[in-house]
Amino acid sequence: MNKPQKQADARRRQFIQLLNNTDQYWVDILGNQLFHDLNYYDLFTHMWLRLNGASCDAVQKSELYQLMPNISQRTAVKYVQIAIDHGLLIEHIDPKDLRFRRITMSADLRQKIELFLDYSISVFEALPLQADQAVP
């Protein structure tokens, strides 16, 4: 990783505000403070990445736990179940093997993740580069 260019404190404050606004949008769009957790962010965005454009829109339930690398599998199981209980994730029996469960994002969650991504992209694009403000 390259050493970043030192930035002025005003620029740093601007960036923190941008992150805070994006973070608040995440909470607002999901509509529940319960999901204000980086592990849910990891789960939902990594799941969106896997599912978006894939030929299959479902993931084996056991694969989801790997999408939350900063918590134990036991805790990840609880997180996934909470998302299922709140209707954000939908659990289906795998028709090829009845022992397994497959998980899809609800249409509502997929739409909310895409709104969040669109919002985040627009916020970051609006941040001017202002290389002339860099501190030597």
Side-chain angles (χ1 to χ4, degrees):
M1 183 185 318
N2 294 335
K3 183 177 178 182
Q5 184 177 16
K6 189 170 182 176
Q7 301 291 319
D9 283 346
R11 184 84 168 136
R12 291 172 177 159
R13 280 190 288 282
Q14 182 183 28
F15 186 74
I16 289 171
Q17 188 60 44
L18 176 142
L19 289 176
N20 288 340
N21 290 344
T22 304
D23 188 45
Q24 185 59 51
Y25 192 81
W26 174 264
V27 173
D28 293 345
I29 199 79
L30 289 177
N32 190 326
Q33 189 72 28
L34 175 67
F35 300 105
H36 183 244
D37 184 307
L38 286 176
N39 297 301
Y40 281 114
Y41 176 85
D42 285 345
L43 173 63
F44 297 155
T45 58
H46 285 98
M47 194 172 179
W48 185 88
L49 284 170
R50 275 187 161 193
L51 299 179
N52 199 38
S55 60
C56 178
D57 68 347
V59 176
Q60 201 170 71
K61 190 174 187 179
S62 60
E63 292 176 26
L64 291 181
Y65 311 138
Q66 300 165 13
L67 302 181
M68 294 176 279
N70 298 310
I71 56 176
S72 70
Q73 182 170 337
R74 176 176 279 187
T75 302
V77 167
K78 292 176 187 177
Y79 275 61
V80 168
Q81 191 58 51
I82 289 169
I84 291 169
D85 292 345
H86 281 83
L88 297 175
L89 300 179
I90 311 296
E91 184 174 28
H92 310 274
I93 295 174
D94 189 332
K96 295 178 184 173
D97 190 335
L98 301 179
R99 297 173 296 167
F100 294 106
R101 303 283 187 246
R102 298 194 64 76
I103 306 295
T104 59
M105 295 177 93
S106 69
D108 185 52
L109 177 60
R110 180 175 246 157
Q111 180 183 17
K112 288 176 178 183
I113 295 300
E114 290 172 356
L115 284 171
F116 170 76
L117 294 170
D118 292 345
Y119 173 82
S120 299
I121 290 167
S122 68
V123 167
F124 279 90
E125 285 178 344
L127 184 68
L129 292 177
Q130 299 178 353
D132 58 328
Q133 285 188 356
V135 176

